[in-house]
Amino acid sequence: MLDGILQGLSTAASPVNLLMVFVGCFAGTFIGMLPGLGPISAIALMIPITYGFDPATGMILMAGVYYGAIFGGSTSAILINAPGVAGTVATAFDGYPLAKQGHAGKALAIAAYSSFSGGTIAAIFLLFAAPALASVSLSFQSADYFALMVLGLTAVSAFAGKGKFLVAVLMTLFGLMLSTIGTDQTAGLQRFTFGSLDLIDGISFLLLAMATFALSEALMVVLKPEKVSQEAEDATKGKLGSMKVSREEVKDLAPVVGRSSVLGFFIGVLPGAGATIASFLAYGMERSFASAKEKLKFGKGSLRGLAAPETANNAACSGSFVPLLTLGIPGSGTTAVMLGALISYGVQPGPRLFVEQPAVFWSVIISMYIGNIILLVLNLPLIPYIARLLALPKKILTPLILFFSLIGVYLVSFNTFDIHIMVIVAILAIIFRLINFPLAPMLLGFILGGMMEDNLRRALAISDGELSFLWERPITASILAITVIVLLAPLIQNIIDVRRRRALKVNDGEG
């Protein structure tokens, strides 16, 4: 192992590969900022360019584009509420409110530090634990994944305000319903397509995210011009805020970053989970751990709510390389494209890769650590200039948001039907916002819906249609037990609070 690490270090530190890390990070950062042009499209475009390189150099370049895009996607999420990639949707929940309050500089700085910390901690985990974690990936079965998805749905409580838990559950169910539109992958039958060929592939996540956040936000500017212009004025008065993070804030965020890094990495290790689920789970976990006073800040500009998903999604990116390199199993759409690239280079990923091709295996892992440093050095000096986007007049910024939202979705499918669906979803989103229905649970249900259904079907097929799969395996039973605890925790806390208040009243009466 030590010989392999040294070989990987010498390969990653060569001038050509250092240049590839820089080019990948730089390109990925700007691609991530543009809605619609996610890491999958970028890496697919990079494959023909890398054919002349050796496998290690090609993989280093594509890995740089991958985590660079996740790093850069937070910028548009924070500044204009338009998540560049799916993994940064949760970043917008608190990042955008911070920007509207005049703290865009601090929000971008915390996102940069959190991304760096998450990616670096995960790269260290990857360095020492990749071969061992391959067996963990293999031990997860369909029943365990289904239980994990159910646990993920408990994060809905993080997006529910006081007394709005049932409303959040309803929105989650709406998201689950939307995820069933399209072709049933198991039976090959069309569902809820109403005879339309355009709905055969279902609704894309990018379309839903952009319509729910960016497009509806731009339309709200038109509906409520006075309120929004006042917010913009307040933001620009503070010169877009300071980038400085105080010592108290660092002390407060350090445990958040540590927890989210570990959670994000282990979610990334599981094939099919990915950065988006990791970011939602981290956000939900941090809100559960927060005090009653801190919980009220979530969704309104909480620093914890910004740091948690931003740390987790970058850690999950690094974690997703475990199943890719050690098992040859892609953990996401992006790593599936990278798997195809590896095979085209004549490299067969699998358990023997770090023995037969140590230079490829270890150089990619070591390049991640170098890449995270480059991303931090690249992005921090640019923050004051990027943040000035908020200072643009609304009559210029609003059409820009509309343009990037619509063109971003159109460039994915080149289908005008998607634009029509996007406008309908945006109008629905505005109605939900006006009646104070949270939109995040809908996205959560949509993300988890397809994976939940697939894994439930496989688990039922293995158990001959019996529900015994829920408690037969220790991993499944443990995850479901944690789910029950998470769901009951708020109820138990409410009962304790009521009893405490009653006890105080009795004591006051006696006094």
Side-chain angles (χ1 to χ4, degrees), residues 92 114 116 226 418:
S114 301
F116 170 75
E226 291 179 14
D418 284 355

Side-chain angles (χ1 to χ4, degrees), residues 44-83:
L45 291 170
M46 291 286 176
I47 291 175
I49 298 169
T50 60
Y51 277 150
F53 301 154
D54 65 80
T57 304
M59 285 301 295
I60 284 170
L61 174 62
M62 287 189 283
V65 171
Y66 182 24
Y67 48 79
I70 298 294
F71 196 104
S74 60
T75 303
S76 54
I78 290 168
L79 293 183
I80 58 173
N81 208 24

Side-chain angles (χ1 to χ4, degrees), residues 143-147 469-481:
D144 309 322
Y145 278 112
F146 173 72
F469 74 88
L470 293 173
W471 57 80
E472 280 180 343
R473 286 173 52 78
I475 297 176
T476 312
S478 301
I479 295 171
L480 289 175

Side-chain angles (χ1 to χ4, degrees), residues 390-414:
L390 279 182
L392 285 172
K394 286 292 173 183
K395 61 183 179 182
I396 296 172
L397 188 57
T398 303
L400 279 175
I401 295 170
L402 287 169
F403 172 77
F404 281 119
S405 303
L406 295 170
I407 206 70
V409 169
Y410 181 74
L411 286 174
V412 172
S413 62
F414 293 98

Side-chain angles (χ1 to χ4, degrees), residues 48-224:
I49 298 169
T50 60
Y51 277 150
F53 301 154
D54 65 80
T57 304
M59 285 301 295
I60 284 170
L61 174 62
M62 287 189 283
V65 171
Y66 182 24
Y67 48 79
I70 298 294
F71 196 104
S74 60
T75 303
S76 54
I78 290 168
L79 293 183
I80 58 173
N81 208 24
V85 292
T88 59
V89 169
T91 303
F93 298 154
D94 284 286
Y96 184 63
L98 277 168
K100 288 207 296 184
Q101 292 162 19
H103 303 301
K106 179 174 280 191
L108 289 168
I110 288 174
Y113 292 133
S114 301
S115 299
F116 170 75
S117 303
T120 303
I121 292 169
I124 294 168
F125 283 162
L126 196 58
L127 191 65
F128 293 106
L133 285 167
S135 59
V136 175
S137 297
L138 283 175
S139 67
F140 261 68
Q141 295 182 8
S142 297
D144 309 322
Y145 278 112
F146 173 72
L148 188 68
M149 300 300 114
V150 174
L151 177 61
L153 284 179
T154 62
V156 70
S157 60
F159 311 112
K162 196 170 183 180
K164 290 189 177 179
F165 183 74
L166 284 178
V167 171
V169 170
L170 281 173
M171 292 300 287
T172 307
L173 290 173
F174 182 51
L176 288 169
M177 289 163 65
L178 289 176
S179 71
T180 62
I181 295 172
T183 304
D184 181 343
Q185 297 300 319
T186 306
L189 300 172
Q190 292 181 31
R191 303 183 300 189
F192 311 112
T193 59
F194 307 102
S196 171
L197 292 174
D198 294 301
L199 285 173
I200 284 177
D201 292 329
I203 299 171
S204 78
F205 176 77
L206 179 71
L207 183 156
L208 199 65
M210 295 302 293
T212 305
F213 288 97
L215 194 58
S216 68
E217 184 67 35
L219 293 174
M220 286 294 279
V221 170
V222 179
L223 290 174
K224 296 184 176 181

Side-chain angles (χ1 to χ4, degrees), residues 175-460:
L176 288 169
M177 289 163 65
L178 289 176
S179 71
T180 62
I181 295 172
T183 304
D184 181 343
Q185 297 300 319
T186 306
L189 300 172
Q190 292 181 31
R191 303 183 300 189
F192 311 112
T193 59
F194 307 102
S196 171
L197 292 174
D198 294 301
L199 285 173
I200 284 177
D201 292 329
I203 299 171
S204 78
F205 176 77
L206 179 71
L207 183 156
L208 199 65
M210 295 302 293
T212 305
F213 288 97
L215 194 58
S216 68
E217 184 67 35
L219 293 174
M220 286 294 279
V221 170
V222 179
L223 290 174
K224 296 184 176 181
E226 291 179 14
K227 181 183 175 185
V228 176
S229 61
Q230 184 61 46
E231 285 170 346
E233 188 182 336
D234 291 344
T236 50
K237 270 182 187 174
K239 297 182 179 178
L240 306 170
S242 167
M243 284 172 55
K244 190 177 178 182
V245 183
S246 69
R247 187 174 294 178
E248 290 75 20
E249 287 167 341
V250 171
K251 197 180 290 184
D252 186 46
L253 294 177
V256 176
V257 169
R259 287 191 294 263
S260 301
S261 297
V262 175
L263 175 70
F265 179 73
F266 282 104
I267 295 295
V269 165
L270 303 175
T276 309
I277 293 172
S279 61
F280 274 96
L281 280 174
Y283 188 89
M285 179 180 73
E286 282 312 316
R287 192 181 181 279
S288 300
F289 287 160
S291 62
K293 186 180 177 182
E294 185 65 32
K295 275 181 185 176
L296 297 174
K297 296 180 184 177
F298 276 72
K300 298 174 184 175
S302 168
L303 297 185
R304 289 186 181 189
L306 170 61
E310 197 56 26
T311 304
N313 62 28
N314 280 270
C317 284
S318 298
S320 67
F321 280 84
V322 172
L324 174 69
L325 297 175
T326 59
L327 301 172
I329 300 171
S332 62
T334 310
T335 49
V337 176
M338 294 176 79
L339 175 64
L342 264 178
I343 293 168
S344 71
Y345 296 148
V347 176
Q348 185 59 51
R352 293 195 56 79
L353 178 64
F354 64 94
V355 176
E356 295 172 355
Q357 299 266 7
V360 174
F361 185 86
W362 295 112
S363 64
V364 169
I365 292 171
I366 290 165
S367 74
M368 289 179 189
Y369 183 77
I370 300 168
N372 277 292
I373 295 172
I374 289 172
L375 282 169
L376 194 66
V377 171
L378 265 178
N379 282 271
L380 280 178
L382 293 175
I383 284 174
Y385 305 100
I386 295 170
R388 292 190 184 279
L389 182 65
L390 279 182
L392 285 172
K394 286 292 173 183
K395 61 183 179 182
I396 296 172
L397 188 57
T398 303
L400 279 175
I401 295 170
L402 287 169
F403 172 77
F404 281 119
S405 303
L406 295 170
I407 206 70
V409 169
Y410 181 74
L411 286 174
V412 172
S413 62
F414 293 98
N415 189 347
T416 53
F417 181 81
D418 284 355
I419 303 296
H420 301 152
I421 293 291
M422 192 176 177
V423 172
I424 292 167
V425 172
I427 292 168
L428 282 173
I430 289 170
I431 294 168
F432 287 138
R433 288 173 70 164
L434 291 173
I435 59 177
N436 290 321
F437 273 43
L439 295 170
M442 179 184 73
L443 281 174
L444 184 66
F446 184 82
I447 291 164
L448 298 179
M451 289 183 283
M452 272 186 73
E453 183 186 0
D454 292 343
N455 286 297
L456 176 61
R457 285 188 170 188
R458 290 193 204 104
L460 286 170

